[in-house]
Amino acid sequence: MRETYDEYEAAGRLRVPVAAWRWATASGLVPAADAGRGQWSRAVVEAADPEAVRAALRGPAGASWAADRLTEALGEPLRYRPRVTPAAVGHLVRAGLLTYLGGEPAYPDVHPDQVDALARRRDLPALLDRHVPLGPDQAAHRLGVRRTDFDQVVRLGWVTPIGTVEIDYKRQGGVTTVPLYSAEDIALLTVVRPTVDWHALRTLTAGRRSPLTALTPDPQGEDRLLLAGVARIARVGRAAVVNWRRRHPDFPAPTAGTDVHPEFDRRQVVEWLLAHDKIAVPTAVPAATLTVGPSLGAGAPDRLRMDDPLLELTDDQEGEDLLSGWMTDTDADTLAELTAAETGASLLRLTAPGTTPLAVPDGLEVIDRFHAGSGGLRVTLAWPAHLRGTASPRTTGGVIRHGLPYTAPTPACRCARQTCGGLVLTPYCTEHGTAAEPAMEWHPAAGIRCMDLAP
């Protein structure tokens, strides 16, 4: 009488598919191997309920389906993040995040419920970066640059392969060895190389020469930083780095330089900064949310998304503010239609990283729209700087400005439906607080600044 069973023997004993047994052990329906690595005792196998084991599987899902499901979970648009591939599912299985149920190990069958659970995890982008290496084309997409620019990054020695994979291109040259790169290393480049103008690099059009071609790798293969360079990576002052050296005995030792100007190995510094939570691997693309509607308030506003926004606010009241970023074709078309309307477009609310919510009552224009060499549609907006205001906290939007109750309607206010000159009471003025009461909120069609109000 057999006393121990491997997974194939246990599945045969219960007359269930081996995939069902694998899922039953992974999901806890049957105990883990108790008679050695990959071995179960007869008591465990005979105590298992074959019908329950068979019913729990519900049919495995292929790696292609799992890859599409995880890609869907990442959201649209996939700016700076490549699609999840079937090969990536194999890496997730080897990392223990998914259970191998059968098929080719590189492109395994997995349980759909487990894939759905993984897709719902908020740290899915970080898990993919940590466990799924990227080929050169995927790495360029993850960095948001053209493949030619990524080749320059490799030439400069800023990233090195962590492995290789052989791909059979069949009619295109047969088997080719392709290098693989750590997605975390790729994502960290924008942090650890702060002297590079990544914004300019990511917006190069096809055919333009890469600015990285002007750089030369260190002939000694060394990559060193002064204290000021460490501070720039961590976005702190030089004094903070000096303090870290004094307080933390595990701070990397200098590899060159002098006592006054020590030099440190960049890789060692980055590892220390990561370990001490001084920097983090970027996993999500910063995004701005725009609520845009007609200037005269007719019709419901549209809520649009802009990835990796760059907001440039001018100090010149006669100038224009600029906002640029990546948008989907659908959102860009909607924005173009609104700004081209005869009534004009109003920015009811702009929520972007690093600034308080803004609003602009009129004059919104699309001044540039192009597809960069790295792919994706980049849109640039402009509006008159003198109309810029702070967005109302109310969901309807609007520009908050201070006004006095005896303020009369002026030609600058085009509010056709109100007799109040476009003024509505609001509890707080962002320009003057509560110093002069009451504070007033302008309808989106107005947005006149305090200095333009006439008593």
Side-chain angles (χ1 to χ4, degrees):
M1 179 69 70
R2 182 182 298 277
E3 294 297 329
T4 62
Y5 296 79
D6 63 19
E7 59 180 15
Y8 293 97
E9 295 163 342
R13 176 72 176 82
L14 298 179
R15 296 182 180 178
V16 299
V18 66
W21 178 261
R22 287 170 178 161
W23 178 245
T25 58
S27 61
L29 185 61
V30 299
D34 65 334
R37 184 178 179 84
Q39 297 287 319
W40 286 263
S41 66
R42 184 176 66 177
V44 168
V45 175
E46 292 181 347
D49 181 350
E51 292 304 319
V53 170
R54 187 179 292 107
L57 182 58
R58 289 200 311 106
S64 294
W65 177 88
D68 289 343
R69 177 68 184 89
L70 295 176
T71 298
E72 178 187 0
L74 292 175
E76 292 289 344
L78 280 176
R79 191 66 198 167
Y80 306 151
R81 189 167 290 280
R83 293 183 62 85
V84 181
T85 64
V89 177
H91 287 287
L92 295 174
V93 167
R94 288 188 286 277
L97 296 170
L98 294 172
T99 301
Y100 173 74
L101 298 181
E104 188 177 347
Y107 311 101
D109 294 336
V110 290
H111 198 287
D113 289 350
Q114 195 175 30
V115 174
D116 285 337
L118 182 61
R120 290 191 296 269
R121 289 184 58 165
R122 298 185 64 180
D123 61 342
L124 174 62
L127 293 174
L128 292 172
D129 282 346
R130 191 173 306 130
H131 299 294
V132 180
L134 304 176
D137 289 333
Q138 294 172 310
H141 194 130
R142 181 69 180 89
L143 190 55
V145 300
R146 304 170 303 177
R147 170 62 190 273
T148 55
D149 299 309
F150 180 72
D151 290 341
Q152 294 297 325
V153 168
V154 175
R155 178 187 66 85
L156 292 168
W158 293 354
V159 293
T160 55
I162 60 171
T164 60
V165 63
E166 290 188 347
I167 299 179
D168 189 353
Y169 289 105
K170 301 185 185 302
R171 290 177 296 179
Q172 300 181 14
V175 177
T176 301
T177 300
V178 177
L180 297 176
Y181 299 89
S182 163
E184 286 191 337
D185 289 347
I186 301 301
L188 270 171
L189 279 172
T190 58
V191 177
V192 304
R193 302 283 173 177
T195 58
V196 176
D197 188 346
W198 293 104
H199 169 71
L201 200 61
R202 286 168 166 170
T203 54
L204 284 174
T205 54
R208 293 283 302 277
R209 182 181 177 87
S210 173
L212 299 181
T213 58
L215 305 180
T216 56
D218 190 296
Q220 305 298 323
E222 298 172 340
D223 194 358
R224 297 170 180 163
L225 290 168
L226 294 169
L227 288 173
V230 179
R232 189 166 185 177
I233 290 176
R235 295 187 177 184
V236 297
R238 185 179 181 278
V241 181
V242 173
N243 191 39
W244 293 343
R245 287 190 68 198
R246 183 170 59 252
R247 292 176 52 195
H248 298 278
D250 63 336
F251 192 90
T255 57
T258 65
D259 291 339
V260 178
H261 300 290
E263 296 179 357
F264 304 87
D265 179 79
R266 186 188 299 265
R267 182 171 295 276
Q268 293 179 10
V269 166
V270 170
E271 289 176 354
W272 188 89
L273 292 173
L274 285 169
H276 289 77
D277 296 324
K278 306 300 184 183
I279 61 173
V281 179
T283 57
V285 181
T289 302
L290 297 82
T291 304
V292 182
S295 293
L296 295 182
D302 287 272
R303 188 179 177 90
L304 311 173
R305 174 188 170 106
M306 178 178 282
D307 283 337
D308 196 20
L310 178 64
L311 179 62
E312 301 175 85
L313 301 178
T314 180
D315 293 329
D316 181 6
Q317 291 296 309
E318 301 302 318
E320 289 187 324
D321 296 332
L322 299 177
L323 172 68
S324 60
W326 306 97
M327 302 187 79
T328 63
D329 288 344
T330 301
D331 279 1
D333 289 344
T334 300
L335 187 59
E337 183 178 346
L338 286 167
T339 56
E342 291 184 4
T343 57
S346 171
L347 182 58
L348 301 181
R349 189 178 189 87
L350 166 64
T351 305
T355 186
T356 56
L358 303 178
V360 184
D362 197 6
L364 196 64
E365 291 184 281
V366 176
I367 63 171
D368 196 13
R369 171 175 168 155
F370 77 102
H371 287 273
S374 59
L377 177 62
R378 191 165 185 89
V379 176
T380 301
L381 299 173
W383 57 79
H386 71 275
L387 290 181
R388 180 213 320 151
T390 301
S392 166
R394 302 190 306 178
T395 56
T396 54
V399 186
I400 294 180
R401 291 293 178 193
H402 178 73
L404 299 178
Y406 52 83
T407 298
T410 71
C413 176
R414 299 200 304 264
C415 185
R417 294 181 299 171
Q418 303 290 335
T419 59
C420 60
L423 291 173
V424 180
L425 286 171
T426 192
Y428 182 77
C429 170
T430 55
E431 290 183 348
H432 303 94
T434 58
E437 297 182 352
M440 310 294 281
E441 175 183 346
W442 285 96
H443 291 299
I448 307 166
R449 288 181 176 271
C450 265
M451 70 244 350
D452 296 328
L453 294 177

